[in-house]
Amino acid sequence: MSPAPSTAPASQTLSRGIRILEVLAEARGPLSIDEIARRLELHRSVAYRLLRTLEDHGLVERDAAGRIELGARMAALAAGVAHDLQAEALPELTAVAGDLGMTCFLAVLDHDECVTLSSIEPRHAVNPVAQRPGTRHPITRGAPGKAILSLLPEASWPADVSPALAEEVTDAAARGYATSHDEVIPSLRAVAVPLVVRGRGPAAIAVVFVASTHSDDEIAARLATSATAIRDALGG
C-alpha cells in the first residue's frame, strides 16, 4: 500500500525566499530592501532577515549603493538547468546576436510562464536591450510565449487565452514564427521561433529589439536556422 500524501504545510519562509529571487529576476535593475518588502507585502525586518540568508549563500549581493541584485551563485545554479540545451544554444545565440545586432535569448515553458534561460547581447551595440536569464512573464504575452503556445494543444493552454490571442497563435504555427510589440516591455519588439528538442519541454529562441532594418521574415529565417542547428546537435 502506497503511503498517504503528505499534508504538512509548505514552508512559508522558503516560499518567501523564492519569491524574493523571482522579484529580483524580474526587476530591470537592483532593488532596495524597502522596494523588495513592498513588492512582497512583507515587513522590512522580515525581508531583511530573508535577504541576509540569501546573501550568506551567495544567491543575492549588494551593489555599491547597498541595493540588492541576484548573486553570482545564481548563475552557477542556472547553468545546471537543462545544461546540454544551454550548451548547444549558446553559440547559436551568440551568432544570431552578432548577425542581427539584437539581443538573442532562449526561453522555456515553466507552468503558465515563459522563462528566459540564456541570453546574449550583441557585442558592438551602443544600447543593447537587456534580457536577463530568469526573467519570466505569462506565456500569453510576448513573441516567445506565442511561439511556445504554438507547440501545445489547445487543451493545454491557460484559461485566459482570448480569441484574438488564439488566432495569433494559430497564425504563428502556420508561418513558423511569432511576433510581438509593446507586450512585455513598452517600445520593444520581438520575433521568436519554436524550438522542439526530443526529451525536452517546449522552448523558443527569440530576439528583442527597438527597431531593425531586417524584416520579420528575415529575422525569423535566421532564428529558424539556429533552432534547427540546436535541435540537430541534441539528436533531433
Side-chain angles (χ1 to χ4, degrees), residues 116-142:
T116 297
L117 200 57
S118 301
S119 176
I120 296 293
E121 296 178 6
R123 291 185 61 186
H124 303 297
V126 177
N127 292 304
V129 177
Q131 181 71 22
R132 291 187 175 186
T135 299
R136 60 177 61 230
H137 57 78
I139 197 71
T140 52
R141 291 168 49 201

Side-chain angles (χ1 to χ4, degrees), residues 46-58 60 62:
V46 174
Y48 178 79
R49 289 197 299 270
L50 292 167
L51 286 165
R52 280 296 302 273
T53 301
L54 294 172
E55 190 174 16
D56 288 345
H57 289 277
V60 303
R62 298 170 192 265

